[in-house]
Amino acid sequence: MKIKYISAAVCIVASALSSAAGVWTLDSCISYAVSNNLTVKSRLIEVRSGELDITEAKDRHLPNISANASQSFSFGRGLTSENTYTNRNTTNFGWGVNMSLPLFQGLSAVRQTKYAKANLRVLVEELEASRDDITLNVISAYLQVLYAGEMCKVADEQLRLSLVEESRREQLLEEGKIPELDLTEARSQVAQNRLTVVNAQNDRTLALVDLAQLLELPDIEGFDIAPVEDDGLGIYSAEEVYRRALEANHSILAGRRRIEAADRNISLARSSYLPQLSFNAGIGSNYYTVNGLNGETFGQQMRNNFSKSLGFTLSVPLFDAFSSRNSVRRAKIQKLNAELQYENSERTLYKNIQQAYYQAQGAQEKFRAAEVSEAATREAFEAMQQKYDFGKANSTEYETARSNYVRAMSEAVQAKYESILRRRILAFYNK
C-alpha cells in the first residue's frame, strides 16, 4: 500500500513539474487525470468504504458492553405493607453494567467478513477499470490536439501558397499579362485560406479545452502539450490480445470478483438457518427510600443490593415467515445477474478488441497509402508549378494541382494520427 502511495506521489510531482513548464507530455497528462478525475476519486471513496465494511464485519466478534442508570420519584397515595393506603413520597435509584459476548452467530460474522473482503476486491478492480477508461480518453483527446495542430500547419502551408500566387499575379498584372479578374480570384482564395487557418486554430483550441476538462484543469491558460512521435507499435492479432486481456483487463476481473462476492453473499444468507449462542454478564445495585420511614443509608443499600449475573442465551430459528429462504433465493438471483454481466463483459471486450484490431489494420494501410499519395501529389504540384511559371499551364490546372496537394497533406496527417491512436488502443488492451 505504501508503494502505491509513493508511486502516486511521484506521478503527481511529475505532473506538477510538467505543468510548471507549461508543456505536458502524454504520460504526465495521464498521471494527472488519473489522480484528479472525479470519477476516479469517487471510486476511491467506494474502496475506502469497502475497507470500512471489512473492519465493521470483524468488529462483530467483539462483545457489547453497556451501562445504565435510572432515577424515579413517586408522589401521592400508595399501598403499604399493612395493605392500607397512605400518602407517601418514594425515591428509587438504580444502576447496572451489562455485557453480551457472541460465542456462535451462525457463522454470520465470519461469512460477513469474507463477503466484505470479496466485495472490496470488486471495488478495487472497478477503481482500476475507471483509471483505464480515463487513460484511453486522455490518449484519444491528446492525439486529437496533435492532429488539430498538424492541420493548422497544413492550413498555414495552404495560405503561404495562396500568398505566393497572389504576389505572382500582382506582378503579372503590372506587366499586363493577365486580366484583373485573375488577381481578384487569387485574393479571394487568400481570404478563404485565412478563414481556414482561423478555423483550424479554433479546432485546436477546442481540442485543447476537451483535454483540459478531462484533466479537471480550470482553464487552458499556459497549457500546451508536447508532440508524440510514432513509437512503431505493432498490430497484435485480435485473438492474442483477447487472450491476454482476459487475464489482465480490470473490467473482466471485476466481473469475476462480483461472481465470487455473490457466492459469499449466498453463504451469508444461509447463516440465518443456524442457531446463535451468546454469553451474558451483568452487575448492578439500587437505592430506595420512602418519605417518613427510616431506612438504610445510600452506601449501605448500594452494598447490600449489589447483584451479579451470568448466563447463556441460545436462539434457535424455527420459523421466520420464510425470510431466510427468500434471502437465499434473492442472493442466488444476484449471482445469476453477476454471471450474465460477466458474460456480457467478455463479449463486449472481444467486440472492442476485434474492432480495435481491424481499425488499427485499416488505419495503418490508409496511412501508407496517404504517404504515397502525398508524395505523388507534391511531385505533381511542383511539376505543375514549373509549367505554370513558364506559362505552359493555366490557372485552373495550377489550382487543381494545389488543391490536390493540400488535400493529400490533410489526409496524410489524419491517417497518421488515426494509425497512432488505433495502435495505441490495441496495445493498451494487450498490456
Side-chain angles (χ1 to χ4, degrees):
M1 186 64 70
K2 291 182 178 179
I3 295 177
K4 291 183 178 180
Y5 290 147
I6 293 174
S7 300
V10 171
C11 292
I12 294 174
V13 170
S15 300
L17 291 176
S18 64
S19 172
V23 178
W24 295 55
T25 64
L26 177 57
D27 290 337
S28 63
C29 285
I30 293 174
S31 299
Y32 191 90
V34 167
S35 301
N36 293 273
N37 182 263
L38 297 182
T39 300
V40 174
K41 287 183 177 180
S42 178
R43 293 292 186 185
L44 186 58
I45 292 175
E46 291 177 1
V47 169
R48 292 176 180 173
S49 178
E51 293 173 347
L52 184 60
D53 290 340
I54 295 178
T55 302
E56 184 178 8
K58 291 180 178 179
D59 290 344
R60 291 184 59 188
H61 296 282
L62 301 177
N64 291 320
I65 301 176
S66 61
N68 62 82
S70 63
Q71 174 72 57
S72 63
F73 302 92
S74 178
F75 306 95
R77 296 178 63 82
L79 186 64
T80 66
S81 59
E82 289 83 12
N83 201 25
T84 60
Y85 286 89
T86 185
N87 292 324
R88 288 183 177 179
N89 297 334
T90 62
T91 303
N92 187 26
F93 169 77
W95 65 272
V97 177
N98 301 297
M99 180 195 72
S100 177
L101 175 65
L103 300 178
F104 181 74
Q105 305 176 68
L107 300 177
S108 62
V110 175
R111 292 173 177 175
Q112 181 68 42
T113 302
K114 292 181 178 180
Y115 172 69
K117 290 180 178 180
N119 192 53
L120 176 61
R121 288 192 287 269
V122 174
L123 296 175
V124 169
E125 294 299 338
E126 288 179 343
L127 170 62
E128 295 302 325
S130 66
R131 287 173 174 167
D132 288 346
D133 291 341
I134 191 64
T135 297
L136 284 174
N137 291 336
V138 169
I139 291 175
S140 178
Y142 193 97
L143 293 177
Q144 183 63 32
V145 175
L146 294 180
Y147 165 70
E150 291 294 328
M151 293 304 296
C152 286
K153 295 179 182 179
V154 172
D156 289 338
E157 175 64 13
Q158 186 178 14
L159 177 60
R160 185 189 68 81
L161 294 174
S162 298
L163 290 172
V164 170
E165 177 61 16
E166 180 187 26
S167 177
R168 178 180 179 277
R169 292 191 183 186
E170 286 176 349
Q171 184 177 358
L172 291 175
L173 181 62
E174 290 177 359
E175 297 174 356
K177 295 181 180 181
I178 61 172
E180 188 175 354
L181 178 60
D182 288 354
L183 178 58
T184 302
E185 291 177 350
R187 289 175 176 173
S188 175
Q189 187 64 46
V190 169
Q192 292 178 9
N193 291 340
R194 289 188 189 278
L195 178 60
T196 301
V197 170
V198 172
N199 290 335
Q201 291 173 346
N202 289 338
D203 289 342
R204 186 183 185 278
T205 300
L206 292 176
L208 201 61
V209 169
D210 290 338
L211 178 59
Q213 289 176 347
L214 278 176
L215 271 58
E216 303 295 343
L217 296 178
D219 54 54
I220 60 173
E221 184 69 27
F223 173 63
D224 205 352
I225 62 174
V228 173
E229 297 297 331
D230 190 350
D231 46 19
L233 290 172
I235 299 178
Y236 309 95
S237 69
E239 295 298 331
E240 178 184 358
V241 174
Y242 179 65
R243 185 169 59 253
R244 292 184 179 179
L246 285 178
E247 301 299 327
N249 185 270
H250 293 291
S251 295
I252 294 298
L253 295 179
R256 293 176 186 167
R257 299 293 182 262
R258 289 191 194 96
I259 295 176
E260 294 174 3
D263 282 328
R264 297 297 185 187
N265 192 31
I266 293 174
S267 179
L268 175 61
R270 287 173 175 164
S271 299
S272 57
Y273 289 127
L274 301 177
Q276 298 185 10
L277 177 64
S278 63
F279 170 72
N280 307 299
I283 58 175
S285 186
N286 63 79
Y287 170 72
Y288 182 80
T289 62
V290 178
N291 186 30
L293 297 179
N294 294 325
E296 294 180 332
T297 64
F298 180 83
Q300 290 174 333
Q301 289 196 40
M302 284 291 111
R303 289 190 298 271
N304 295 335
N305 296 336
F306 184 76
S307 63
K308 295 174 286 187
S309 65
L310 298 174
F312 293 90
T313 301
L314 176 65
S315 176
V316 180
L318 298 179
F319 182 74
D320 60 356
F322 299 115
S323 176
S324 298
R325 185 197 66 177
N326 294 335
S327 296
V328 172
R329 290 180 176 179
R330 188 176 296 105
K332 289 181 178 180
I333 292 174
Q334 291 175 355
K335 181 182 178 181
L336 290 175
N337 186 46
E339 290 174 341
L340 288 176
Q341 288 181 352
Y342 175 70
E343 184 178 354
N344 183 62
S345 297
E346 281 188 327
R347 294 183 179 182
T348 301
L349 177 65
Y350 182 75
K351 291 178 181 178
N352 291 340
I353 290 176
Q354 192 177 44
Q355 185 179 31
Y357 169 75
Y358 286 111
Q359 286 177 336
Q361 197 175 47
Q364 185 73 0
E365 294 175 357
K366 181 180 178 181
F367 179 49
R368 291 171 182 168
E371 284 184 316
V372 174
S373 176
E374 181 186 14
T377 54
R378 181 175 62 251
E379 293 178 0
F381 173 68
E382 291 173 352
M384 180 61 67
Q385 194 171 29
Q386 291 180 356
K387 292 176 62 177
Y388 187 57
D389 291 340
F390 288 104
K392 296 181 180 181
N394 57 40
S395 59
T396 301
E397 293 174 330
Y398 174 79
E399 289 297 334
T400 300
R402 187 180 66 173
S403 298
N404 291 338
Y405 174 52
V406 172
R407 183 172 61 252
M409 282 195 299
S410 301
E411 291 174 351
V413 169
Q414 181 181 9
K416 173 186 175 181
Y417 284 100
E418 184 179 1
S419 176
I420 294 175
L421 174 62
R422 299 307 176 187
R423 283 183 285 121
R424 278 184 174 267
I425 291 177
L426 189 63
F428 184 84
Y429 283 118
N430 195 52
K431 65 180 181 177

